[in-house]
Amino acid sequence: AHTDAPTAGSVVLAGVMLKMGAYGFLRFAVPFFPQAAVDLAPALLVLAVVGITYGAIVAAVQPNLKRIVAYSSVAHLGFVILGIFAFTRQGMAGGVFTMLSHGLTTGALFLPLGMLYERRHTYEISSFRGIWKAAPVFGGLFVAATFASIGLPGFSGFIGEFLSMLGAFLTARWYVVVGATGVVFAAVYMLWAVQRAFTGEPDEENAATPDIGARELVTVLPLLGLSLFLGFFPGPALDRIGPSVERVVTHVREHSDVQIPAVSDGGGGESSGSPDRGGEAG
């Protein structure tokens, strides 16, 4: 759907539609059926880790630049599910924050891709080379969006994925150990794609690629700016996310047999409890 949709459709898919399933888990499936959610959590955590690693591996071998970004969304949503079904406040908050961040960073990638398609009428990486030299502002903007997507510290993607893994480490340690490889894979396939498409000496056709215009710049910069703001100041978003997440975690703790490390009253962290799902609470 991402690959075949027009640019605006891809942005709407990334910013809104891909989050509907995760929203359904948080608002309906987990609160209505807490014991079933706990019982099925291992299967969903396996699917989350498979999504993270498989999405990254498939993205790495794609010859189509837009498909790389599309498969990266599969990996990002894996971190959302990993955080939700950890059943800790940090994990769920990280999952929700990743949902917010993903819409910004992936939208900021799909928009320049659409602009590139308007100039070259293809998404095939083999057709690009040296775009950065021909269009330096465009190349710099795409690299910044790439850094935001792979979760470079300073962008919102880092906050969401770090919180998801931090919270999941308390109750699903080995899933996090495997899923963390997706962070490394993300840097591999995204930076490799940038290297192949944007660096080197451009041929005659790529050398004539016009740089990004002011109107196009205005559509992308707000997304990157908001991602950068949330990367340095995640508090305003986490303050809004926190109460809802706390209610869901408390509801699951009270209506199921899951043992969740208790939330401390202090600095927002989790108390020291057994990281194993079946162990004693701290």
Side-chain angles (χ1 to χ4, degrees):
H2 266 316
T3 305
D4 294 332
T7 300
S10 295
V11 174
V12 172
L13 278 171
V16 182
M17 298 304 295
L18 287 184
K19 316 305 185 303
M20 297 303 289
Y23 179 83
F25 277 130
L26 282 168
R27 283 301 190 202
F28 299 101
V30 174
F32 285 1
F33 310 104
Q35 186 60 56
V38 170
D39 292 340
L40 292 173
L44 286 160
L45 289 171
V46 168
L47 290 175
V49 171
V50 169
I52 292 169
T53 55
Y54 178 77
I57 292 170
V58 174
V61 298
Q62 292 300 313
N64 184 299
L65 197 55
K66 196 174 186 183
R67 279 186 180 272
I68 291 176
V69 180
Y71 276 108
S72 73
S73 295
V74 177
H76 288 144
L77 269 293
F79 286 105
V80 174
I81 300 302
L82 185 67
I84 291 174
F85 285 92
F87 299 120
T88 61
R89 188 176 71 169
Q90 287 172 325
M92 281 196 182
V96 176
F97 196 92
T98 300
M99 291 162 64
L100 171 64
S101 170
H102 175 265
L104 299 173
T105 59
T106 308
L109 277 174
F110 277 125
L111 285 170
L113 281 177
M115 299 167 193
L116 187 60
Y117 184 82
E118 290 296 321
R119 290 160 168 76
R120 297 287 287 103
H121 304 292
T122 182
Y123 292 115
E124 295 299 314
I125 296 177
S126 59
S127 300
F128 306 134
R129 186 174 178 82
I131 298 293
W132 204 341
K133 182 168 288 188
V137 177
F138 182 89
L141 192 71
F142 193 88
V143 169
T146 299
F147 287 157
S149 179
I150 65 179
L152 189 75
F155 287 98
S156 57
F158 173 78
I159 303 294
E161 292 180 3
F162 181 77
L163 278 177
S164 296
M165 290 190 290
L166 186 65
F169 195 77
L170 293 168
T171 58
R173 176 170 300 176
W174 293 109
Y175 296 99
V176 176
V177 170
V178 178
T181 60
V183 179
V184 179
F185 288 146
V188 171
Y189 64 74
M190 288 302 300
L191 294 178
W192 189 33
V194 168
Q195 180 191 31
R196 289 179 289 165
F198 286 87
T199 63
E201 289 295 325
D203 59 22
E204 184 176 346
E205 194 169 5
N206 287 327
T209 303
D211 208 343
I212 193 169
R215 177 179 61 85
E216 296 170 322
L217 205 59
V218 167
T219 63
V220 183
L221 283 181
L223 297 177
L224 284 177
L226 189 53
S227 176
L228 197 61
F229 174 81
L230 290 174
F232 281 99
F233 304 102
L238 291 175
D239 289 343
R240 297 298 298 265
I241 293 169
S244 296
V245 164
E246 180 64 27
R247 284 194 294 270
V248 175
V249 172
T250 302
H251 179 77
V252 173
R253 184 187 296 120
E254 293 175 349
H255 295 87
S256 72
D257 58 8
V258 69
Q259 298 294 330
I260 305 173
V263 178
S264 68
D265 295 328
E270 307 287 346
S271 71
S272 58
S274 170
D276 299 321
R277 182 173 300 279
E280 295 296 328

